[in-house]
């Protein structure tokens, strides 16, 4: 087992190297991955002094990680949730708009749980989340949610920006009858006329 060098007198703190050797010895595989052990140490070292103290670790006893953080990606759970979302909202973009409640172009775990409740999905929510959030960023983007829809939206936005200069000007240009809303036929006509 890893022990501090004889010159180390503290019984409540360890140098990064000793801490890493100890967690490797206890079988924490993450300590063997390049950069993971050092990132862990730096993240735990609240005072930034190059040591891990007992107080740096105490808060872990009360920490309750979110469900998604401790789950493995679960494709089957995602497929079941996706099926329910499409049944309820018909289109991936409609489901996204329901889930991205604050229009931030990303979805939080809280928003994700709310959409799961809305479609009565009680399966492996954390696993479904992790299947989408592959970079473990803690948010899901439209691109992660449904890449095809994200690509179409991106293309459409680029088209509107290029042809009209902004979304606001595009809306005004497409709303040919000045009704304050754009009909499908107005949109289709404008897209066809301008080559999208």
């Amino acid at each position: 087992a890893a022990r501090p060098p004889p010159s180390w007198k503290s019984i409540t703190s360890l140098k990064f190297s000793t801490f890493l050797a100890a967690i490797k010895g206890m079988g924490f595989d993450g300590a063997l991955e390049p950069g993971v052990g050092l990132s862990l140490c730096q993240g735990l070292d609240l005072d930034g002094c190059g040591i891990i103290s007992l107080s740096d670790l105490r808060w872990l006893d009360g920490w309750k990680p979110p469900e998604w953080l401790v789950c493995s990606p679960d494709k089957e759970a995602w497929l079941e949730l996706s099926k329910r979302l499409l049944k309820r909202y018909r289109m991936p973009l409609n489901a996204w708009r329901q889930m991205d409640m604050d229009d931030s172009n990303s979805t939080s775990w809280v928003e994700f749980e709310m959409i799961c409740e809305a479609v009565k999905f009680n399966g492996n929510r954390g696993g479904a989340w992790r299947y989408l959030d592959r970079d473990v960023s803690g948010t899901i983007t439209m691109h992660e949610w449904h890449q095809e829809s994200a690509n179409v939206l991106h293309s459409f936005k680029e088209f509107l920006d290029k042809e009209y200069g902004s979304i606001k000007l595009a809306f005004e240009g497409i709303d040919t009858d000045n009704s304050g809303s754009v009909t499908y036929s107005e949109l289709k006509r404008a897209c066809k006329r301008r080559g999208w």
Side-chain angles (χ1 to χ4, degrees):
R3 296 191 182 284
S7 61
W8 191 259
K9 302 298 181 202
S10 175
I11 60 168
T12 60
S13 61
L14 297 171
K15 289 182 179 179
F16 281 5
S17 58
T18 306
F19 180 77
L20 285 172
I23 62 176
K24 283 179 190 173
M26 291 187 300
F28 176 60
D29 293 335
L32 302 174
E33 296 177 30
V36 171
L38 180 59
S39 292
L40 175 64
C41 288
Q42 290 170 335
L44 290 172
D45 180 16
L46 186 61
D47 297 321
C49 56
I51 62 171
I52 304 296
S53 68
L54 185 57
S55 63
D56 290 330
L57 297 174
R58 273 202 180 111
W59 68 273
L60 279 172
D61 280 335
W63 181 53
K64 301 279 188 269
E67 180 183 341
W68 62 267
L69 194 56
V70 295
C71 286
S72 297
D74 186 341
K75 182 178 181 178
E76 295 305 315
W78 162 240
L79 292 173
E80 175 60 28
L81 174 57
S82 180
K83 187 169 85 173
R84 288 171 181 255
L85 290 167
L86 290 175
K87 182 177 179 183
R88 171 116 183 231
Y89 300 110
R90 297 185 330 273
M91 304 285 291
L93 182 55
N94 290 347
W96 175 259
R97 296 295 313 276
Q98 294 296 318
M99 188 168 56
D100 180 20
M101 295 173 193
D102 61 1
D103 290 329
S104 63
N105 293 316
S106 65
T107 295
S108 68
W109 173 249
V110 171
E111 290 171 317
F112 185 81
E113 287 223 292
M114 290 173 77
I115 202 80
C116 288
E117 287 294 322
V119 297
K120 297 178 179 17
F121 176 69
N122 296 313
N124 183 0
R125 293 178 181 183
W129 171 277
R130 281 294 307 280
Y131 182 75
L132 296 173
D133 183 21
R134 294 184 184 196
D135 61 355
V136 195
S137 65
T139 60
I140 296 173
T141 64
M142 177 64 177
H143 190 266
E144 291 169 315
W145 176 259
H146 194 261
Q147 186 173 349
E148 185 180 333
S149 294
N151 291 343
V152 169
L153 280 177
H154 181 75
S155 170
F156 185 60
K157 183 176 181 334
E158 280 187 336
F159 161 74
L160 294 177
D161 285 343
K162 180 181 170 210
E163 293 295 318
Y164 295 94
S166 72
I167 300 298
K168 181 181 185 298
L169 293 174
F171 184 88
E172 291 169 0
I174 296 170
D175 180 19
T176 55
D177 62 1
N178 296 315
S179 65
S181 63
V182 173
T183 65
Y184 177 70
S185 61
E186 286 174 321
L187 180 62
K188 185 176 177 182
R189 194 174 325 118
C191 289
K192 186 176 183 180
R193 187 172 57 241
R194 297 202 179 228
W196 189 78

